[in-house]
Amino acid sequence: MYLIQRLLRTGLSCLLAVSVTLSCFFGGNAVYVSVQARKANRQQEELHNIYHSGQEVELPPEEEWIEPRLASLRAINSDLVGWLELGGEEGGFAAPVVQRDNAYYLKHDFYGREDRHGAVFLDYRNDTDPNDDNLILYGHNMNDGAWFHYLVNYQDPAFVAEHPIIGFDTLREEGEYAVIGVFVAATLPQHGDDFDYHNQVRFQTIEDKQDYLDRVRRRSLLDTGVEVTTRDELLTLSTCLYDFAGERLVVVARRLREGETAASFAALPVARSASPEMPAIWNQLYG
């Protein structure tokens, strides 16, 4: 009996030790995530303040043409190529956009410091002088709510109806874009999705561009009511989702035409698409 009681006490002690260890691990991990989130939010606010400060800086003669509001950020990081705004200034998301390759800013912030949050970056194949047919921006969807996590809002028709315009200013000019589609893509070869949206930075023919636009329409989770033709410039935002490995959420918008303003899109009846085309892996998992 004594031996059994001793074994029971030993077992309970071990369980308690494991429980405490796990509590410390998850508690510590939660603290780490919270600290990193606050750090990312502080950096975002700091960059926002720099952008709106209006501070004059001296740039090299060959860069004096840069938009004044971007000059301060360009002086900090020569990889800067633009400024992105989503959802308006009140409660929205805003960040500088950089460009190097498609790997560096996955693990480095705007200042070049190692950071799992990364930064918002333009596809290395894109040109902005003049703009390519389709500018593609990437950013992490962080579980602490930072950076491109904001894009998940674009799955909601009410949100897009209220915020149909995306602002993306390059070093040379301001730009506003109206959302035309929001879709889910699979990026791993074994999932067999043949829509390589991330390779569509420019189109060889009008037919190629029309095919791309048709596929965006068929796959879109929403009907935004925004007309688009092959003459329009496009902006694509891409981030991760986590229903399956390699999943991406993609938001596509077209540039406002001459004579259009944000007010032109204020009354669009945005609705969910009845049967959007989904990746094969999605259909296998969720029917």
Side-chain angles (χ1 to χ4, degrees), residues 73-124:
L73 292 169
R74 177 76 172 188
I76 296 171
N77 185 347
S78 60
D79 287 343
L80 178 83
V81 294
W83 181 264
L84 178 70
E85 289 196 353
L86 309 174
E89 291 191 11
E90 294 298 325
F93 170 83
V97 177
V98 287
Q99 183 184 38
R100 181 178 293 195
D101 51 36
N102 283 4
Y104 182 80
Y105 285 107
L106 287 172
K107 296 182 179 180
H108 293 82
D109 67 12
F110 179 78
Y111 294 98
R113 301 176 299 218
E114 287 193 13
D115 188 337
R116 69 190 187 94
H117 290 83
V120 178
F121 60 94
L122 177 68
D123 193 290
Y124 77 97

Side-chain angles (χ1 to χ4, degrees), residues 49-60 64 66-76:
N49 291 337
I50 293 172
Y51 176 73
H52 288 282
S53 68
Q55 180 182 355
E56 294 186 6
V57 298
E58 186 174 348
L59 292 173
E64 289 179 350
I66 290 176
E67 285 286 319
R69 285 196 298 180
L70 289 169
S72 296
L73 292 169
R74 177 76 172 188
I76 296 171

